[in-house]
Amino acid sequence: VSFWEHGGVPDVDYHSDDIAERYAEQRSLRDDVLQRWQAAVRPYLPHRRPLRVLDLGAGTGIFTRAWARWYESQVIALEPSSAMRTQLRAGGLPDVAQIVAGRGEHLPLRPGTVHVAWLSTVLHHLEDPMSAAQDLARVLTAAGVVLIRGLWSDCGAPVGLGFFPNADRALAAFPSTERSVDVFRQQGYAFVDSVEVEDQGPRTIGQAIRRVHRLRGADSLLASFTQDEINQGLSAMGHLDPETPLPPSTVGLLVLQRCT
Ligand SMILES: C[S@@+](CC[C@H](N)C(=O)[O-])C[C@H]1O[C@@H](n2cnc3c(N)ncnc32)[C@H](O)[C@@H]1O
């Protein structure tokens, strides 16, 4: 039984070498998108340098490398899947970063050592978000922050979703910001902010079609649709000129602070 309302999103098998390779190939983010995220997080960062950042569920290290470039920091890339850790290493590990095998629910870290916990598209994968919020409170410094990037049922707009039947159901499988804030509040955090950031969605119908073909199986939102729904969506998009422009996609950023 999922922790979240509506059953939660289907599991993506990040332990498979194939998924990890596909993720590394397809999910990189352009520099302009990463710069937008750097600007988005800046107002919430503690002033301490070097910043000790925990990249929780670091995956292939997209943001491990970004944090190392963005700010004077020491980054811990925590990742349970050895297949994802292999891709992270292959993509280049910055000198200021180290990889740690582990899960968000049992952090192998000392108390009061992390200034910023960064959770990018990982909250919906945690088996026990309440335990993760509790253990994060242990390892964060006083007034440390938790920055959560992702899609919520009520924040963030993946473009092209409307072409698929039952898109509302697929989106509702993601946690809501309200419930997420509630989980963290129960573990002694204060809500700071919730914003939407322009991200890297497809900009034309042709790009959207190619993205669905490439990422089906390695993306939680796409995995929330049945094959029949995917086929219907692809067929609806296939009737349009592939150069038809699409509006920008946004992804949500939720900011919480550990209460001192
Ligand atoms: C969608 S990927 C996101 C990777 C990376 N944060 C990014 O934004 O590209 C989700 C990652 O969370 C990891 N994960 C799954 N369950 C986890 C848990 N309980 N604790 C920590 N990480 C977990 C998966 O292995 C996977 O690498």
Side-chain angles (χ1 to χ4, degrees):
V1 178
S2 165
F3 178 87
W4 303 106
E5 313 93 328
H6 306 295
V9 293
D11 256 355
V12 173
D13 183 11
Y14 289 108
H15 293 274
S16 118
D17 290 338
D18 179 50
I19 298 272
E21 274 167 36
R22 218 166 343 145
Y23 197 98
E25 275 167 28
Q26 308 294 346
R27 292 276 291 251
S28 61
L29 293 175
R30 290 191 316 265
D31 281 349
D32 60 306
V33 176
L34 288 172
Q35 276 164 20
R36 272 197 289 277
W37 281 100
Q38 178 181 13
V41 299
R42 184 179 293 124
Y44 311 108
L45 300 180
H47 294 295
R48 295 289 296 273
R49 298 292 179 273
L51 262 185
R52 284 195 301 270
V53 179
L54 168 63
D55 185 2
L56 193 156
T60 56
I62 296 169
F63 286 99
T64 305
R65 287 182 280 277
W67 277 100
R69 273 200 313 275
W70 287 348
Y71 299 100
E72 188 196 342
S73 52
Q74 293 167 350
V75 190
I76 296 160
L78 182 97
E79 173 53 51
S81 148
S82 71
M84 295 298 264
R85 293 196 303 269
T86 299
Q87 294 298 328
L88 198 167
R89 246 177 251 113
L93 186 67
D95 289 345
V96 295
Q98 68 180 104
I99 301 177
V100 174
R103 300 169 66 247
E105 292 86 345
H106 289 286
L107 298 166
L109 302 174
R110 286 195 305 276
T113 52
V114 170
H115 299 121
V116 176
W118 171 252
L119 284 71
S120 165
T121 60
V122 68
L123 185 67
H124 55 281
H125 291 298
L126 297 177
E127 248 169 63
D128 186 350
M130 195 68 86
S131 297
Q134 186 179 32
D135 211 24
L136 273 171
R138 178 183 65 81
V139 303
L140 281 168
T141 53
V145 292
V146 178
L147 304 172
I148 312 181
R149 170 183 180 266
L151 188 59
W152 277 270
S153 53
D154 55 347
C155 180
V159 76
L161 203 60
F163 288 100
F164 296 91
N166 304 321
D168 289 352
R169 186 212 63 223
L171 199 55
F174 281 78
S176 65
T177 50
E178 196 180 283
R179 177 87 174 102
S180 308
V181 169
D182 184 49
V183 166
F184 278 84
R185 274 213 179 107
Q186 287 184 49
Q187 298 301 332
Y189 297 77
F191 167 80
V192 177
D193 214 348
S194 165
V195 294
E196 290 196 29
V197 180
E198 188 181 327
D199 206 88
Q200 183 169 302
R203 296 312 305 268
T204 63
I205 286 287
Q207 286 177 13
I209 292 173
R210 285 194 291 280
R211 186 184 161 90
V212 173
H213 283 299
R214 284 196 312 251
L215 280 183
R216 174 95 169 118
D219 178 274
S220 305
L221 180 60
L222 291 174
S224 299
F225 289 102
T226 65
Q227 190 57 51
D228 189 47
E229 289 165 346
I230 291 283
N231 293 343
Q232 286 187 52
L234 285 172
S235 158
M237 289 194 282
H239 283 102
L240 298 174
D241 178 348
E243 292 308 315
T244 309
L246 290 169
S249 291
T250 64
V251 169
L253 173 68
L254 180 63
V255 185
L256 300 133
Q257 182 162 37
R258 181 179 180 275
C259 297
T260 47

